[in-house]
Amino acid sequence: MRAWLRAGLVFLTFVHVAVGSWTLLFPYSFYGRVPTVGDYPPFNEHLFRDFGAMNLAMSVVLGAGAVFLERTLVYVALASNLVWAVPHLAFHTAHPANTAGAVLVAALGVIVAIPVVLLVLTRGALPAGERRRPWRR
């Protein structure tokens, strides 16, 4: 179970690193080449670079979950991913632009399904973190 959990977290980390790096470093390319993105003009470089940075931030949290495999950290990482992925999937499901849009919806469905499956796998597969009481020494 732990190997599948780690593999899923690494996969999600990779997705966020790839999308985040592309969007942050080459926002014009991302806007012009990713299906459906260019269907919503106008281009906003600031927004795209922020989106790229957010994806890279998500990769840090997911990557930490993959490295440490501590239950609370994994829950936070996967829940954070779902907070982004579910509304994103809902938008593209409600606004199918073309055939490429259907492929994108399917891909986003996988990106939503993976964290849900991993949350199920996490239950009982990982130790809970040490309970700390910051007000006690």
Side-chain angles (χ1 to χ4, degrees):
M1 290 284 200
R2 292 171 63 92
W4 282 106
L5 182 57
R6 180 169 276 135
L9 287 164
V10 166
F11 173 76
L12 290 171
T13 300
F14 173 77
V15 168
H16 283 282
V17 166
V19 171
S21 298
W22 185 9
T23 310
L24 181 65
L25 300 173
F26 307 103
Y28 296 101
S29 170
F30 187 87
Y31 180 79
R33 293 211 167 106
V34 175
T36 75
V37 173
D39 294 344
Y40 302 98
F43 172 78
N44 183 325
E45 181 179 357
H46 178 188
L47 180 62
F48 276 83
R49 290 191 189 269
D50 283 354
F51 176 72
M54 181 279 306
N55 270 277
L56 291 174
M58 278 298 308
S59 72
V60 170
V61 177
L62 289 160
V67 169
F68 296 109
L69 280 184
E70 190 276 319
R71 186 184 317 165
T72 303
L73 179 57
V74 169
Y75 281 159
V76 168
L78 294 172
S80 296
N81 189 79
L82 286 170
V83 166
W84 165 80
V86 169
H88 195 72
L89 174 62
F91 177 85
H92 282 290
T93 301
H95 301 89
N98 50 34
T99 306
V103 172
L104 182 63
V105 167
L108 284 169
V110 170
I111 299 299
V112 169
I114 288 172
V116 171
V117 169
L118 294 178
L119 282 169
V120 171
L121 290 177
T122 302
R123 190 175 168 120
L126 296 178
E130 177 186 338
R131 297 229 185 253
R132 296 186 184 122
R133 296 185 180 131
W135 60 89
R136 290 191 184 175
R137 293 186 187 233

